[in-house]
Amino acid sequence: MSQPTITLWSDANFFSPYVMSVYVALKEKGLSFTLQTVDLNSGQHLQPGWKGYDLTRRVPVLAVDDFLLTESSAITEFLEDRFAPPTWERIYPHDLEKRARARQIQAWVRSDLMPIREERSTDVIFAGVKKPPLSEKGQAAAQKLITTVESLLPDGQQNLFGEWSLADTDLALMLNRLILNGDEVPERLQEYAAFQWQRASVQRFLALSAKHSG
C-alpha cells in the first residue's frame, strides 16, 4: 500500500508525552515514518534550521510530504482523516459521540491538571525519577484526575470505549505520572494504566526513551 513520505520530529530524549501520542498513532495506523530529533535542552528548537522553527518551535512536528503540522491533537486528528479507516487502522472511536468524548479527554489532559504535569514531569515515566510528595494543589489535581477517570472508565472494561483508542494511551500516561512515582491511585485505575502500557506501540516508544535517556 503506497503512502507519502512521513517524518516525525521529537525531543532528543523521547520524553515528550505529546510526541509519544503521535508516535503511537503512527504505529497503530501501520504507517512507515522517519524519526528526527531536536535537542530541547540546548535550545536547538529555538534556532533556525529545523522544520518546526517557522511554526510553533515545539515538538512534535509532523511532515507528510510537503505538509507540516504541529500540536499533537491536531496531528492525530489529521492522521485519522488523512489515513482513514477502513483502509488504515482506526485510532479514534467510530461512533460520533464516543469520538468526541475521546477528543475531549485528549484536550483535557493537555490543558488541565497543571500541578500534576509540573510536579510529576515525564522523567518519572521515562527515566524512573522519584519526586517529593505532592503539594496541596498537586493532591487536589490528582484527586480530580482519579475521580474523573473513575467516572469515565466503565466497570470491568480495560478501554474507555469498549475498544482501544488513542485517548486511552494519553489518559494512561497521565495516570502513570502518579502511579510510577508511587502515589496512591485506586487499584482499578492502576490495572487500566498497566494494561494500556503493554500495547506494542507504547512499548516501542518506551524502548526509544530508554535508549536515549542515558
Side-chain angles (χ1 to χ4, degrees):
M1 188 181 301
S2 62
Q3 66 163 69
T5 300
I6 301 174
T7 304
L8 171 64
W9 274 264
S10 169
D11 59 298
N13 291 335
F14 295 92
F15 274 22
S16 168
Y18 312 116
V19 170
M20 176 175 164
S21 187
V22 175
Y23 179 95
V24 167
L26 289 165
K27 286 293 187 182
E28 294 288 343
K29 284 281 183 190
L31 295 166
S32 299
F33 61 98
T34 300
L35 278 170
Q36 298 283 347
T37 60
V38 177
D39 190 347
L40 305 186
N41 293 331
S42 70
Q44 185 183 0
H45 58 302
L46 303 177
Q47 304 299 320
W50 75 289
K51 291 293 187 181
Y53 182 80
D54 293 329
L55 296 171
T56 60
R57 303 180 192 178
R58 304 200 300 183
V59 294
V61 175
L62 186 80
V64 178
D65 287 337
D66 294 328
F67 177 65
L68 294 176
L69 190 62
T70 64
E71 301 302 313
S72 57
S73 289
I75 292 171
T76 57
E77 290 180 28
F78 167 74
L79 288 172
E80 183 78 326
D81 294 337
R82 174 65 176 78
F83 303 98
T87 303
W88 305 91
E89 294 297 319
R90 185 178 300 281
I91 57 174
Y92 287 104
H94 173 72
D95 177 80
L96 182 63
E97 292 182 357
K98 289 180 178 178
R99 188 161 68 248
R101 183 74 70 206
R103 288 169 170 167
Q104 171 199 306
I105 291 165
Q106 287 187 296
W108 177 58
V109 298
R110 285 159 172 74
S111 62
D112 199 358
L113 309 168
M114 181 60 75
I116 297 176
R117 288 185 280 143
E118 289 178 342
E119 298 178 35
R120 297 291 181 264
S121 55
T122 55
D123 54 3
V124 168
I125 294 173
F126 299 125
V129 173
K130 298 300 180 184
K131 302 289 186 178
L134 290 166
S135 67
E136 287 188 13
K137 288 183 178 180
Q139 292 175 31
Q143 189 55 52
K144 181 179 183 180
L145 172 64
I146 289 166
T147 302
T148 303
V149 180
E150 285 180 327
S151 70
L152 289 169
L153 182 64
D155 287 335
Q157 291 198 23
Q158 295 174 310
N159 298 303
L160 291 167
F161 306 108
E163 58 182 355
W164 177 86
S165 81
L166 191 59
D168 286 300
T169 299
D170 289 353
L171 196 54
L173 188 146
M174 183 59 79
L175 286 168
N176 274 333
R177 291 176 184 264
L178 302 174
I179 295 167
L180 297 179
N181 194 69
D183 298 306
E184 188 172 342
V185 173
E187 183 176 358
R188 183 167 81 99
L189 303 192
Q190 291 187 43
E191 291 174 353
Y192 164 74
F195 177 78
Q196 297 301 329
W197 229 231
Q198 292 308 309
R199 201 164 183 89
S201 55
V202 173
Q203 287 293 309
R204 290 191 184 102
F205 188 84
L206 294 175
L208 276 175
S209 63
K211 179 180 178 182
H212 291 86
S213 63

